[in-house]
Amino acid sequence: MKNLPILLLAMILPSELWSQPRKPATVAEIAAYNGPDREQLLYAGAKGEGKIVWYTSLAGDSYKAIARGFEAKFPGVRLEAYRAGGSELVPRMIEEAKAHRPIFDAVETTEDSLMIAKTSQLVRPYFSPYLDKYPDDAKERADKNLTFWTTIRESYLGFGYNKTQVSPHAVPKGFDGLLHPELKGKMGITLNESSAKVIGAMIKIKGEGFVKKLKSQEIKAYTVSSAALVDMIASGEIGASFHIFRNHALVSAAKGSSVGWIAMELVPTNSGGVALAAQPPHPHAALLLIDFLLHDAVKILDKFHYGHPTTDYGFKRWYQDRGRSLADLEADSARWEKLAKEITQR
């Protein structure tokens, strides 16, 4: 007789209520949820949370356009974006974790920084219904069909030049072309990780001896950002550079400049992935944003000429950070940066 109330309740309530699965409650459950009502459940939870804090390394207006698109699609959920390079974001996240003061919900940054974040247990695996649309090498796989991060944008390094200063026959089709006599005294680079990565690509294709030959080309070194280097090419201050991002060149050309861009035999590729915080203060909103970044934001980033891992652009990409230890990456970067200094003039 003790079970009589339960039996009566079962007779009174519709069977659908008894068959409904339990809604996810913990962060781990929300991160792995794949029910048919996923978007509705996440949106309802996100509206209750009110906002999301997103750390990103996206530059210019691209991340602002994503924020506007997200808030337009999901009214009532405010997106607070904090923009910085990966080398700044990771220490910030580590300090927050040490202080037991979780702030960010989701992060978008470069793969090398995400590797550190994973090692430091700052991010956790997640599910998204859009993961199947991405190639396996664009995902850092975890157990149970989850991923630690997914690449959502790529930037490609190649030869950028001013079309009015470099004649068509002098535009290199490969690294050997950098030794063309017309380019002597016209090239400039920035001594940063971008130029170092292209040096690494040259070594991989042509060997270190080839890189040292570039010293005879009287390449000038500048202390400006990669984006500012494109502006210097557009203004005619320098004629060309071998480490120009494709998206920077396309944006400049779209504004009416004479900047051109061409890929070399091997194209160093900076990839930016999206990850979920290990302890997100707003977990529903975090997963809602991740789905948005994997699906809706693709078109937004395309407008800013970012590449996408599912698109073939006709050149060979080189993911120099992928599948290697941080110690090896740091050692190679130091060697490449040293060579960049040796072949340039101040």
Side-chain angles (χ1 to χ4, degrees), residues 159-171 182-183 186 230-240 256-261:
F159 183 80
Y161 61 102
N162 188 307
K163 296 177 182 179
T164 65
Q165 292 200 19
V166 179
S167 59
H169 74 275
V171 176
E182 187 181 315
L183 295 178
K186 289 186 177 182
V230 177
D231 294 336
M232 293 174 69
I233 294 174
S235 69
E237 187 173 346
I238 59 174
S257 80
S258 298
V259 173
W261 187 92

Side-chain angles (χ1 to χ4, degrees), residues 199 203 208 212 335-343:
I199 295 291
I203 292 173
E208 191 169 318
K212 292 180 177 179
R335 182 164 66 101
W336 300 340
E337 288 171 7
K338 181 174 181 291
L339 276 170
K341 291 178 182 177
E342 290 176 358
I343 65 169

Side-chain angles (χ1 to χ4, degrees), residues 84 216 322 336:
S216 65
R322 194 162 289 173
W336 300 340

Side-chain angles (χ1 to χ4, degrees), residues 296-312:
D296 305 70
V298 174
K299 291 182 179 179
I300 297 174
L301 290 173
D302 183 62
K303 291 179 181 178
F304 289 89
H305 301 291
Y306 281 102
H308 197 265
T310 61
T311 304
D312 182 3

